[in-house]
Amino acid sequence: MSFVTMGELLKKAQEGHYAVVAPSNKDEITLRASIDAAEEMHSPVIINLNYKAHPDIRFFARMCRDLALEASVPVALNQDHGAEYEHAMRAIQAGFTAVMADRSTLPFEENIAKVSEIVKVAHACGVTVEAELGHVGYSDKDDMKERALTVPSEAKEYVERTGVDCLAVAIGTVHGVYKGTPHIDFDLLHELRDTVNVPLVLHGGSGTGEDNLARACREGICKINIGTDVMQAGRDAVLHSVVHAPHDTLPFFYEAYKKELERYMVLFGSKGKA
Ligand SMILES: [Zn+2]
């Protein structure tokens, strides 16, 4: 149907009180599984590609655009966690419809300055920009100590000064596999939703729990990144598959990844919204 900006998908989600899932993609199999899941569920989808995940983002973007134009649902392509100005520029040049400029470990003023220069170029090219304020940590890295919840008054100022289209907020989730039980600060989410006017994004959706995620979608989150859960579903299916040749495992990966993603589309309320 269409290869669209992430901004337009998220505006509709914000108005409709649901969230669009952004699954981590790596290759053609994960890309096809993501778009096929969206078609099956009549759901929009945001293809998330980390700038490190594929050696040739121009090729990946062409492949995504081709499949999106043939699909019956809207598809956006987002560069996840771009860390340098150059990453964003290369993604825009390659044809991504969104970039995430993650400067969440920098001090406030520096974060604003760095992200603002990307917003200027991206908006001139019609590309959506996501940024992060507060910091969602990684369970497998030392930077868990850098975790910091988002402060609503800072988020408001940040969005106004940078002009970003959506904001990833830290309300208790982590990237990767949780150690311990996740605690989502819903009071903070409500305050952020009422203070910031752009759609809010949740990173580290995997393992956060169905009730927590469904509630977050109803109460202000418009996009949720899912990486670990879909990849693990694919890996587990491969490990349990009985095949004659190694490459015969790939359809198992595809099916399990797609099924897990469809589950999230239902949970996030985006089923039937395309
Ligand atoms: Zn993330």
Side-chain angles (χ1 to χ4, degrees):
M1 175 175 147
S2 48
F3 190 40
V4 301
T5 65
M6 192 165 86
E8 81 183 71
L9 293 185
L10 297 188
K11 274 286 167 211
K12 282 187 193 155
Q14 191 179 28
E15 285 159 16
H17 305 288
Y18 62 90
V20 183
V21 61
S24 292
N25 271 227
K26 299 276 183 200
D27 52 20
E28 184 185 340
I29 292 176
T30 47
L31 175 64
R32 284 189 183 272
S34 301
I35 294 178
D36 292 350
E39 292 203 283
E40 196 93 29
M41 293 290 110
H42 303 285
S43 167
V45 68
I46 295 160
I47 302 301
N48 243 358
L49 187 77
N50 192 292
Y51 75 95
K52 294 181 283 202
H54 198 282
D56 185 351
I57 63 166
R58 290 163 69 98
F59 173 73
F60 188 90
R62 280 201 303 278
M63 185 163 63
C64 182
R65 184 173 183 280
D66 265 16
L67 292 175
L69 291 176
E70 285 172 16
S72 59
V73 294
V75 178
L77 174 59
N78 177 47
Q79 181 183 59
D80 195 28
H81 288 288
E84 304 286 344
Y85 180 78
E86 287 72 17
H87 298 155
M89 295 308 112
R90 273 182 225 134
I92 292 168
Q93 191 189 32
F96 282 58
T97 64
V99 291
M100 184 211 181
D102 181 3
R103 305 295 180 275
S104 59
T105 53
L106 294 179
F108 188 67
E109 287 298 331
E110 220 177 311
N111 185 338
I112 288 181
K114 297 265 189 211
V115 169
S116 296
E117 55 181 4
I118 291 172
V119 170
K120 194 174 171 191
V121 182
H123 283 183
C125 301
V127 170
T128 304
V129 180
E130 174 186 335
E132 178 172 321
L133 193 66
H135 182 65
V136 178
Y138 292 79
S139 61
D140 58 348
K141 288 189 194 160
D142 289 342
D143 84 344
M144 285 301 283
K145 60 182 179 295
E146 288 185 37
R147 277 177 76 191
L149 297 182
T150 309
V151 178
S153 58
E154 286 182 2
K156 183 176 193 292
E157 184 185 343
Y158 183 86
V159 168
E160 285 169 0
R161 287 176 60 192
T162 56
V164 294
D165 303 283
C166 53
L167 187 68
V169 291
I171 56 171
T173 55
V174 299
H175 290 104
V177 179
Y178 281 94
K179 292 166 186 154
T181 314
H183 173 74
I184 307 301
D185 190 336
F186 282 100
D187 289 339
L188 176 58
L189 173 59
H190 298 159
E191 212 184 326
L192 286 163
R193 174 195 65 192
D194 296 339
T195 314
V196 178
N197 58 6
V198 296
L200 301 177
V201 176
L202 196 63
H203 283 231
S206 293
T208 303
E210 291 199 345
D211 292 347
N212 279 335
L213 291 178
R215 186 176 166 197
C217 299
R218 289 193 304 270
E219 299 183 5
I221 292 293
C222 305
K223 169 188 174 231
I224 300 186
N225 288 13
I226 297 286
T228 305
D229 279 359
V230 281
M231 292 297 178
Q232 280 186 347
R235 181 201 60 187
D236 290 350
V238 168
L239 290 175
H240 295 118
S241 63
V242 180
V243 291
H244 298 295
H247 61 262
D248 289 344
T249 56
L250 298 180
F252 287 89
F253 187 97
Y254 163 91
E255 270 307 327
Y257 179 107
K258 176 170 168 275
K259 218 168 152 205
E260 179 72 348
L261 192 53
E262 288 173 3
R263 185 174 75 82
Y264 277 117
M265 288 168 173
V266 173
L267 190 67
F268 297 171
S270 73
K271 184 186 175 187
K273 295 295 197 304

